[in-house]
Amino acid sequence: MQSILHPILGPRKEVHDLTGRVAVVTGGAMGIGYEISRAFALNGARVIMVNRKEDQGETAIKKIKEESHNTAHIEWLPCDLGNLKQVKDVFGGIREREERLDLLILDAGINANQYGESADGIEQVFAVNWLGNFYAVNLLYPLLRKTSKIPDTPPPRIVFESSEMHRTTLPTTKFASKEEINDSSKDPTQFYSRTKLAMILGVKYGLLERVIKPNDDKIYALSVHPGTVSTDIQEQWKSAYPGLLGNLLTTVMNAIGRSPEQGSFSALYAATSLWNLSHEMIKHVAGEGGLVGWNQKA
């Protein structure tokens, strides 16, 4: 319905002048992430998009530069969010070379899918949707803190793209161990919904209560729900439920879904036991020194 009404209602402008700001958008070269990157770049920010596939990055840059008459400041970096060593190299590199970071949008993700494991041996949806994005926040947090101390600068913002699907997470979910995460008997939808719950819990009880408040940091952390959005991610229903059901779910979701531009609105507005397990899983792969201290200065 939202996408049907879009030509009538027209687009909404949710971004103010961002000249001089720097933004990082995971999953920033396609779908909702692309629309967020596009809006930031067209409003003056320098944008760093992070995706797995080079062709997606090249296409996104070409389209945004054409729309901006080649004035947009935008670049793309390759990274598989399901590979924690790549995450460490890419986002650690951003932290070391950048002077500031105002907007961090965590949009990279996998939809419901059959059980599979990441390069690190972690259930793939959890590995990308939560753990990889969480590690990116950890690695970039000193730069966000540094930016927050620049005079006359609005507080930097961290925004996770969550979902109302979090409400369907099983009540037995405890985020207590890797064995629980890697339980292959779960329904494909459960792999997805629990990552969206992880984002909400991670922001409220992790970043806010364990980091931002104790450090007295002037940083906002939010989780938002974009609504059902018609992007390529809906095609993954066909893999999650092979056959008629998967095709039906893809058709229905694309029919009722918002456009990617509409799906970006909530994040754009937000952007003008899980905690311990996440640390342990990252340390297991990246080593004891893999995590950055949450009170560390850039």
Side-chain angles (χ1 to χ4, degrees), residues 32 50 62 68 205 283 288:
I32 296 172
V50 183
K62 182 174 182 292
S68 71
Y205 299 106
K283 287 179 182 178
E288 193 65 31

Side-chain angles (χ1 to χ4, degrees), residues 95 98-99 140-147 296-298:
R95 182 188 69 241
E98 295 296 329
E99 290 299 319
L140 293 174
Y141 199 77
L143 186 57
L144 290 161
R145 295 189 77 214
K146 177 183 176 181
T147 305
Q296 181 174 315
K297 296 180 180 178

Side-chain angles (χ1 to χ4, degrees), residues 43-98:
N43 283 274
R46 188 165 72 81
V47 181
I48 303 170
M49 303 180 295
V50 183
N51 281 76
R52 283 194 308 123
K53 298 181 180 179
E54 184 175 2
D55 59 333
Q56 294 172 353
E58 290 177 347
T59 299
I61 289 174
K62 182 174 182 292
K63 289 166 62 178
I64 293 171
K65 282 190 172 291
E66 285 177 352
E67 187 174 357
S68 71
H69 303 291
N70 210 36
T71 61
H73 299 285
I74 189 161
E75 63 180 283
W76 171 83
L77 293 175
C79 184
D80 177 1
L81 271 288
N83 185 320
L84 293 176
K85 290 180 180 177
Q86 282 190 30
V87 174
K88 181 180 180 181
D89 290 342
V90 171
F91 292 93
I94 293 173
R95 182 188 69 241
E96 293 302 320
R97 76 167 183 268
E98 295 296 329

Side-chain angles (χ1 to χ4, degrees), residues 14-265:
E14 299 286 1
V15 185
H16 302 291
D17 181 27
L18 298 175
T19 301
R21 312 278 187 84
V22 177
V24 170
V25 185
T26 71
M30 61 181 296
I32 296 172
Y34 167 77
E35 292 295 344
I36 294 169
S37 298
R38 170 179 167 270
F40 285 165
L42 294 180
N43 283 274
R46 188 165 72 81
V47 181
I48 303 170
M49 303 180 295
V50 183
N51 281 76
R52 283 194 308 123
K53 298 181 180 179
E54 184 175 2
D55 59 333
Q56 294 172 353
E58 290 177 347
T59 299
I61 289 174
K62 182 174 182 292
K63 289 166 62 178
I64 293 171
K65 282 190 172 291
E66 285 177 352
E67 187 174 357
S68 71
H69 303 291
N70 210 36
T71 61
H73 299 285
I74 189 161
E75 63 180 283
W76 171 83
L77 293 175
C79 184
D80 177 1
L81 271 288
N83 185 320
L84 293 176
K85 290 180 180 177
Q86 282 190 30
V87 174
K88 181 180 180 181
D89 290 342
V90 171
F91 292 93
I94 293 173
R95 182 188 69 241
E96 293 302 320
R97 76 167 183 268
E98 295 296 329
E99 290 299 319
R100 66 185 296 156
L101 177 58
D102 301 87
L103 304 162
L104 176 57
I105 312 300
L106 294 311
D107 179 69
I110 300 175
N111 201 349
N113 214 326
Q114 296 285 337
Y115 181 82
E117 294 183 3
S118 70
D120 301 317
I122 301 167
E123 190 278 308
Q124 61 180 348
V125 184
F126 186 85
V128 174
N129 293 14
W130 169 249
L131 201 61
N133 282 311
F134 169 78
Y135 194 20
V137 175
N138 171 261
L139 292 166
L140 293 174
Y141 199 77
L143 186 57
L144 290 161
R145 295 189 77 214
K146 177 183 176 181
T147 305
S148 72
K149 300 181 188 307
I150 298 175
D152 301 320
T153 295
R157 302 197 178 198
I158 303 166
V159 183
F160 279 88
E161 286 281 0
S162 186
S163 168
E164 282 294 308
M165 284 286 289
H166 81 275
R167 299 182 187 279
T168 67
T169 305
L170 293 172
T172 54
T173 301
K174 297 177 180 174
F175 300 108
S177 67
K178 182 179 179 180
E179 289 70 29
E180 178 194 339
I181 299 301
N182 281 11
D183 179 1
S184 61
S185 68
K186 286 184 170 59
D187 181 86
T189 303
Q190 282 300 310
F191 295 136
Y192 178 79
S193 61
R194 73 177 175 187
T195 66
K196 299 306 176 178
L197 176 61
M199 292 176 184
I200 294 170
L201 296 177
V203 167
K204 181 174 177 57
Y205 299 106
L207 287 174
L208 182 60
E209 298 296 335
R210 291 174 178 252
V211 179
I212 294 174
K213 285 184 177 180
N215 288 339
D216 196 26
D217 289 330
K218 291 180 173 56
I219 295 172
Y220 294 146
L222 311 98
S223 60
V224 299
H225 171 50
T228 301
V229 180
S230 301
T231 67
D232 289 343
I233 200 171
Q234 300 299 348
E235 295 295 318
Q236 291 179 2
W237 288 111
K238 297 177 182 178
S239 299
Y241 299 100
L244 180 60
L245 178 59
N247 283 299
L248 179 61
L249 285 169
T250 294
T251 301
V252 170
M253 290 301 183
N254 280 325
I256 68 173
R258 299 176 174 187
S259 69
E261 182 184 10
Q262 290 170 318
S264 71
F265 288 155

